Amino acid sequence: MSKDVNMLIDGATNKSVDCSDAFNTTEVFPSRDAMLNWARDVAKENGFVLIILRSETSTKPTRTTRRNQRKTFIILGCDRSGKYRGPYKNALSRKVNGTRKCECPFRLRGKALKKAEGWIVKVMCGCHNHDLEETLAGHPYAGRLSAEEKSLVDDMTKNMMKPKDILLTLKDYNMDNVTTIKQIYNARQAYRSSQKGLEMQYLLKLLERERYVYWHRKVDDSNVIRDIFWTHPDAIKLLGAFNTVLIIDSIYTTTRYPLPLLEIVGITSTELTFSVAFAFVESERADNFTWVLQKLRGLIVKDEDIPQVIVTDRDISLMNAVQVVFPSSSNLLCRIHINKNVKAKCMSIVHPKEKQDLVMDAWDVVVNSSNENEYIQRLALFEKVCSGFPSFCEYVKKMWLIPHKEKFVTSWTNQVMHLGNTTTNRVEATNCKLKNLLQDSKTDMCSYWDAMNDMITLQHTEIKSSFEKSINVVDHMQNTPVYIKLQGFVSRSALSHITDEYDRVKTVGTDSSKCCCIVRTTHGLPCACELASYSTMCHPIPLEAIHVHWKKLNFIDRGMDDKEFELSLQPELDALLQRFQELDCAGKIILKAKLHELAFPDTASKCPTPKMVRIKRAPGSKRDRSIHCDLSHREHVDAMHPTHSGTSSCPSSHQIVHESKRRRVLPMMDQFPIQIHPFIEEIIDVKADSNCGYRAVAAQLGMGEESWALVRQDLIRELQQWQDIYAKLFGSNERVAELRQSLYVDKETSIKKWMTIPDMGYVIASRYNVVLVSLSLKESMTFFPLRGRPPLSQSRHRLIAIGLVHDCHFVQVALKAESALPPTALQWSRYCSAESRSWETSYVNRMEHFRSLFPHTKIIM
């Protein structure tokens, strides 16, 4: 198809290749895309890549511009045409060290015929001034992933497949694929970047589903989440009981995104670690840390429960935040991290190795000074040892001893009740357990949350077991009269500390100067001199001698049940009342409706259903089941929550499996067939406006209902990218254009802008690669993606459900696990790709179950 020729360039004869014969054709192509695909395929067969150099689109002529009307055409050229122009910015920092450009003259011209009769191709110059490639492997353009391949890479990335395995799968999928491993890495990174925001929104949905207590804040004037704080409900109970010492540390590389995770842990009476709270923060600044600690402070109800000690690293921003939010707490610094920093500095300055060991031994002696006089003496000895290395000695003083000695030197730390915790090792141990559950440190946020949730469950199980053991099991060494008043009322860990302290009684006696009473101060337990006095009087250790921390053997703080202590809503109620009085009529209605939902969740108003209007589609469309309503009625949907009578009867053939069980009445439940009521877990309303359908979809995807505009944009791209498929599905390109136009947001709402089912069901399922279930009294159906293979594991499938209520408003529907599903939408099996047919296979049994619920009813699809 090509031949060698000689070209005269600048007076010199250069060998060239003529490809004119390969592109000489009289074929009329039906569309621009068809012409481009043909030309690019021929170019690949001949060993080069075609790119678009220029394109023009004609404008509609008027009387004054008819003569100057532009024609529709496109100029194609070899990717090696033109010259390298050099960097646009700093030439010294450029990364490009080579170019493919060699001023190749090859040109094709594609031209649109009059009256939309098609496209033709003409060869302007068929010669290349370079040799053609035998293979295009490694070529950046030829190795681009198609839309179908991108979808496949995204699925395999979600399934945590390695890049080399993804590339091998693509090669098996298409033998002509010339994609490189670098392009696979780029595609993975692009997918992960696109999922970052969605994952954060989905994380919020998981937290709400599992009844976690959480707060988040967004970047000003956007939907981007800045910081998010969450805690388990049982963790709040543990915090109320065990708040003496908290340990806070930042963790990195927990997910594939560079977001610091702030983890807060506490210590129970049985000396087990429990996770108090977690927080993803935008950055490690004082503002972010202060926000997190303020939310933590809000979990502590009583002022006397403020932590006595908070252990952190030497992070100045975090330390400042602790000082602001918990000014009465003692902030200790992690000794291990301090020693690592000092040792690293020592190894860089002090030589030889023997001298390093001597210096570090002197440092350890200083840190472990038991009183201030001893500290002064040992510091003088340390300065003498480091006399040959003044820079190291100055570093230790200025960085650690002068500003922070009270936070890590034993002489000062022994003056606070730290329960033996002077490091952040407990946080690191918790993170290690998380990584063991994850088996991959670079996972997504939701997988990390799943592992965290599992870890918390294991923590609480272990803590409950330790409480039960402390109450019912007596250690043989402590089965003596001395401990008779403590057994079953104090944790085994406290008894173990007391036993260790008994070993000092013989040497200390009742002399408090020898005893130093360290255990009494740091642990709240009897020290050696106290124990000696009890032994002298032959008295058992009284329960009053034990700090209350060690006497709590349950999740609930008994002090919360005191009659004297009572939580009050009065300040909040006063503020709400004042705000209510300041609002206009519409604002008062909205605020009252929200408060009504909070105060009476199981009741509903009995507003009559407004009359709805059904708007038919444009003539010529395939189906006429799109449901619309009069916009004036949408404002009433929030107020409509019809009650469901528990005494209502139905025909015997429609008896429900769980009818005998008392179930919580959900609002708008009567808007769905009674046969599927047992499978509905929750019905969640969204704002009633012309975007309610897209709000419900956005919320179900974990993006938050305010992301409805993003959903519209995504669906526009879906229809544009796969227009040919949807033209077949919906019957014409005009219908696709009509649907695409309905997705654009205008200032004024219109009936044409409302979401329609089933049309948008196919688009939503395909765009987000989800199983979409649409429920209503009149028609229920399930939509699967039109393309792409489903994940191998069904646990990785995403199933979302929406419902149409009152024939005019969409809501979110949460279905129970393994619930019955309506049949597949009728058009799906006709127009889905071959590889996507396996989607339906996984849900056949659940669809058969749905059909069995309607034995004498024709199910509308």
Side-chain angles (χ1 to χ4, degrees):
M1 299 292 289
S2 60
K3 57 185 179 180
D4 294 344
V5 298
N6 293 327
M7 295 180 62
L8 188 63
I9 301 177
D10 295 335
T13 302
N14 292 340
K15 185 177 180 180
S16 182
V17 180
D18 188 357
C19 296
S20 300
D21 294 340
F23 293 93
N24 285 327
T25 180
T26 58
E27 181 179 355
V28 177
F29 299 94
S31 65
R32 179 179 183 269
D33 290 340
M35 182 269 296
L36 282 174
N37 292 335
W38 175 85
R40 285 168 174 166
D41 290 341
V42 174
K44 287 183 179 179
E45 291 175 0
N46 286 270
F48 69 98
V49 173
L50 274 181
I51 60 174
I52 298 176
L53 299 179
R54 180 185 173 190
S55 65
E56 290 286 351
T57 302
S58 65
T59 56
K60 292 183 179 181
T62 62
R63 292 181 179 178
T64 57
T65 62
R66 190 178 300 276
R67 293 183 180 180
N68 298 326
Q69 178 189 357
R70 293 182 176 180
K71 297 180 179 180
T72 299
F73 68 91
I74 184 172
I75 304 297
L76 303 176
C78 176
D79 71 311
R80 302 187 67 178
S81 62
K83 292 183 179 181
Y84 175 62
R85 299 181 180 180
Y88 290 97
K89 296 182 179 180
N90 186 4
L92 297 177
S93 62
R94 70 186 185 209
K95 297 181 180 180
V96 179
N97 53 17
T99 179
R100 292 177 176 270
K101 303 293 185 181
C102 63
E103 299 184 64
C104 178
F106 181 87
R107 297 288 187 279
L108 297 179
R109 179 185 176 93
K111 177 183 176 183
L113 299 177
K114 296 180 179 180
K115 298 181 181 180
E117 295 177 353
W119 285 70
I120 59 175
V121 175
K122 297 291 185 181
V123 179
M124 299 174 64
C125 177
C127 296
H128 298 269
N129 62 354
H130 57 87
D131 292 331
L132 302 182
E133 303 290 341
E134 294 182 4
T135 173
L136 291 174
H139 194 288
Y141 190 90
R144 285 184 179 180
L145 297 173
S146 64
E148 195 170 358
E149 288 173 332
K150 286 181 179 179
S151 177
L152 189 59
V153 170
D154 292 348
D155 289 339
M156 289 187 285
T157 301
K158 284 190 289 186
N159 291 327
M160 301 175 66
M161 289 183 64
K162 296 180 179 179
K164 64 181 183 65
D165 295 329
I166 295 177
L167 182 59
L168 292 174
T169 302
L170 291 180
K171 299 292 184 183
D172 293 338
Y173 183 78
N174 180 9
M175 298 298 295
D176 298 327
N177 184 282
V178 292
T179 302
T180 63
I181 192 69
K182 181 178 179 181
Q183 289 170 310
I184 297 297
Y185 275 104
N186 292 340
R188 280 161 45 96
Q189 181 61 35
Y191 167 74
R192 287 171 173 172
S193 298
S194 68
Q195 292 296 304
K196 180 178 178 181
L198 292 178
E199 287 183 10
M200 187 67 81
Q201 298 290 348
Y202 191 60
L203 175 60
L204 294 179
K205 183 178 179 180
L206 290 174
L207 294 171
E208 186 171 349
R209 186 189 71 186
E210 298 298 329
R211 310 296 184 187
Y212 273 65
V213 177
Y214 70 93
W215 291 275
H216 67 277
R217 60 176 181 170
K218 300 178 180 179
V219 178
D220 295 339
D221 300 328
S222 75
N223 288 323
V224 179
I225 294 178
R226 182 180 178 187
D227 306 307
I228 178 170
F229 172 98
W230 72 90
T231 180
H232 193 280
D234 286 341
I236 298 176
K237 298 177 183 178
L238 286 171
L239 177 62
F242 307 105
N243 42 52
T244 305
V245 177
L246 295 181
I247 304 174
I248 307 176
D249 195 11
S250 294
I251 302 172
Y252 303 90
T253 67
T254 52
T255 67
R256 63 172 67 109
Y257 309 113
L259 290 176
L261 175 74
L262 196 66
E263 185 172 357
I264 306 167
V265 304
I267 302 94
T268 67
S269 59
T270 53
E271 294 192 313
L272 293 180
T273 304
F274 69 94
S275 297
V276 176
F278 299 84
F280 277 120
V281 292
E282 179 186 38
S283 61
E284 293 184 296
R285 297 181 179 178
D287 174 62
N288 303 89
F289 288 140
T290 301
W291 180 83
V292 171
L293 294 182
Q294 285 173 344
K295 299 307 175 186
L296 174 66
R297 175 64 181 85
L299 300 176
I300 302 172
V301 180
K302 297 186 290 186
D303 291 338
E304 56 266 29
D305 288 341
I306 297 296
Q308 297 184 31
V309 173
I310 297 178
V311 184
T312 66
D313 286 339
R314 184 191 167 276
D315 186 323
I316 301 300
S317 298
L318 180 57
M319 293 167 62
N320 291 339
V322 169
Q323 181 61 35
V324 170
V325 182
F326 297 102
S328 62
S329 302
S330 299
N331 183 193
L332 303 186
L333 300 183
C334 177
R335 276 194 178 185
I336 291 181
H337 286 87
I338 293 174
N339 288 337
K340 284 183 178 180
N341 287 324
V342 172
K343 186 174 182 179
K345 192 71 172 181
C346 177
M347 293 176 66
S348 65
I349 297 177
V350 179
H351 298 285
K353 178 69 168 57
E354 293 76 12
K355 193 66 174 179
Q356 292 177 6
D357 295 338
L358 185 62
V359 170
M360 289 306 300
D361 289 342
W363 165 255
D364 290 337
V365 169
V366 172
V367 173
N368 291 297
S369 302
S370 59
N371 55 64
E372 294 189 35
N373 291 331
E374 192 175 85
Y375 167 76
I376 295 173
Q377 296 172 4
R378 293 182 176 183
L379 179 59
L381 178 61
F382 175 77
E383 292 174 344
K384 185 176 181 180
V385 172
C386 298
S387 58
F389 310 98
S391 59
F392 174 73
C393 188
E394 184 179 5
Y395 160 79
V396 169
K397 285 183 176 181
K398 290 186 177 181
M399 182 64 70
W400 300 109
L401 295 178
I402 295 176
H404 304 305
K405 63 178 181 294
E406 296 85 0
K407 301 179 186 298
F408 69 94
V409 176
T410 303
S411 174
W412 286 273
T413 59
N414 279 350
Q415 298 176 17
V416 297
M417 188 173 173
H418 54 65
L419 303 177
N421 296 277
T422 57
T423 69
T424 58
N425 281 0
R426 287 183 180 268
V427 177
E428 295 177 5
T430 302
N431 187 43
C432 183
K433 291 180 181 179
L434 271 176
K435 289 183 178 179
N436 290 336
L437 291 172
L438 284 170
Q439 297 181 353
D440 181 11
S441 62
K442 297 294 184 179
T443 186
D444 58 87
M445 292 182 183
C446 300
S447 297
Y448 181 84
W449 183 88
D450 287 335
M452 178 271 297
N453 190 43
D454 293 340
M455 182 195 68
I456 290 177
T457 301
L458 295 175
Q459 280 182 359
H460 294 174
T461 301
E462 186 180 8
I463 290 170
K464 290 176 182 178
S465 176
S466 69
F467 289 160
E468 191 275 337
K469 193 173 182 180
S470 292
I471 294 172
N472 299 307
V473 179
V474 179
D475 194 294
H476 293 298
M477 294 183 63
Q478 295 147 7
N479 192 14
T480 63
V482 177
Y483 301 97
I484 192 66
K485 292 186 177 181
L486 306 183
Q487 294 171 0
F489 299 98
V490 175
S491 73
R492 289 163 57 88
S493 299
L495 297 180
S496 179
H497 285 297
I498 295 173
T499 301
D500 293 338
E501 195 68 8
Y502 253 117
D503 296 337
R504 300 178 60 232
V505 170
K506 294 181 181 179
T507 57
V508 172
T510 58
D511 188 352
S512 60
S513 61
K514 293 182 180 180
C515 178
C516 298
C517 304
I518 295 175
V519 173
R520 167 54 68 188
T521 305
T522 60
H523 289 72
L525 296 172
C527 57
C529 63
E530 287 184 61
L531 295 175
S533 64
Y534 295 139
S535 299
T536 302
M537 295 183 292
C538 298
H539 286 171
I541 303 173
L543 189 60
E544 294 76 16
I546 309 299
H547 189 274
V548 66
H549 172 86
W550 305 102
K551 295 186 285 187
K552 296 176 181 178
L553 298 175
N554 49 56
F555 272 43
I556 302 174
D557 183 10
R558 298 293 184 186
M560 296 290 290
D561 299 330
D562 293 344
K563 294 183 179 179
E564 297 179 359
F565 176 77
E566 183 179 355
L567 284 172
S568 175
L569 282 174
Q570 196 57 48
E572 288 79 8
L573 293 175
D574 293 340
L576 279 173
L577 181 60
Q578 182 179 354
R579 183 180 178 186
F580 181 81
Q581 294 172 346
E582 294 173 352
L583 292 172
D584 57 13
C585 182
K588 289 180 178 179
I589 293 175
I590 294 172
L591 181 57
K592 183 178 179 181
K594 292 181 178 180
L595 292 176
H596 187 275
E597 291 179 4
L598 290 173
F600 310 104
D602 294 334
T603 62
S605 63
K606 298 183 178 180
C607 296
T609 304
K611 184 178 179 181
M612 303 302 158
V613 180
R614 182 181 296 274
I615 306 300
K616 293 186 177 181
R617 294 188 186 185
S621 59
K622 275 194 170 184
R623 306 183 69 188
D624 191 20
R625 292 178 184 168
S626 303
I627 298 174
H628 301 287
C629 71
D630 185 354
L631 183 61
S632 63
H633 296 311
R634 287 190 179 267
E635 62 189 17
H636 300 289
V637 177
D638 274 340
M640 294 187 295
H641 300 292
T643 56
H644 211 45
S645 175
T647 60
S648 62
S649 61
C650 61
S652 59
S653 60
H654 299 319
Q655 291 297 318
I656 305 305
V657 178
H658 305 288
E659 189 179 54
S660 60
K661 297 182 179 179
R662 293 182 60 86
R663 301 178 65 251
R664 181 167 61 93
V665 178
L666 298 176
M668 296 176 282
M669 181 67 92
D670 64 340
Q671 295 301 304
F672 303 100
I674 192 171
Q675 291 89 340
I676 66 173
H677 287 187
F679 306 109
I680 297 179
E681 182 76 31
E682 190 72 64
I683 298 174
I684 306 170
D685 202 358
V686 297
K687 184 179 179 180
D689 60 11
S690 58
N691 302 303
C692 63
Y694 302 105
R695 288 178 180 276
V697 171
Q700 284 286 288
L701 291 170
M703 303 163 62
E705 68 170 87
E706 294 303 324
S707 298
W708 56 267
L710 296 178
V711 174
R712 284 181 177 267
Q713 292 175 8
D714 287 344
L715 299 184
I716 290 172
R717 297 190 190 101
E718 173 72 13
L719 289 172
Q720 290 174 338
Q721 187 174 0
W722 303 95
Q723 180 169 346
D724 293 341
I725 293 177
Y726 289 112
K728 295 177 182 178
L729 175 64
F730 300 134
S732 65
N733 284 317
E734 288 74 16
R735 178 55 184 161
V736 176
E738 181 183 337
L739 288 173
R740 192 167 63 240
Q741 189 63 34
S742 72
L743 291 167
Y744 289 103
V745 181
D746 294 336
K747 293 182 178 179
E748 297 182 0
T749 58
S750 169
I751 294 175
K752 296 181 180 179
K753 301 296 182 181
W754 300 343
M755 191 173 84
T756 59
I757 293 292
D759 289 347
M760 283 303 172
Y762 299 104
V763 185
I764 292 166
S766 302
R767 177 63 184 180
Y768 296 106
N769 202 41
V770 298
V771 180
L772 173 66
V773 178
S774 175
L775 303 172
S776 72
L777 283 173
K778 295 184 177 180
E779 56 181 353
S780 297
M781 62 193 76
T782 301
F783 300 90
F784 298 104
L786 292 169
R787 60 186 184 277
R789 298 184 181 91
L792 298 177
S793 173
Q794 191 171 348
S795 62
R796 293 188 176 273
H797 291 200
R798 291 187 64 187
L799 188 148
I800 64 174
I802 58 175
L804 182 69
V805 298
H806 304 296
D807 278 350
C808 71
H809 180 62
F810 285 97
V811 296
Q812 305 175 61
V813 179
L815 297 176
K816 295 181 180 179
E818 299 302 320
S819 63
L821 296 182
T824 309
L826 183 62
Q827 302 293 331
W828 181 82
S829 60
R830 299 179 185 176
Y831 297 102
C832 68
S833 63
E835 62 180 8
S836 65
R837 291 187 179 276
S838 54
W839 273 102
E840 189 179 31
T841 307
S842 304
Y843 299 91
V844 169
N845 293 335
R846 296 169 68 176
M847 291 180 181
E848 289 297 332
H849 187 189
F850 188 93
R851 289 189 178 93
S852 68
L853 299 175
F854 300 84
H856 304 298
T857 306
K858 182 179 179 182
I859 301 174
I860 300 176
M861 294 183 291

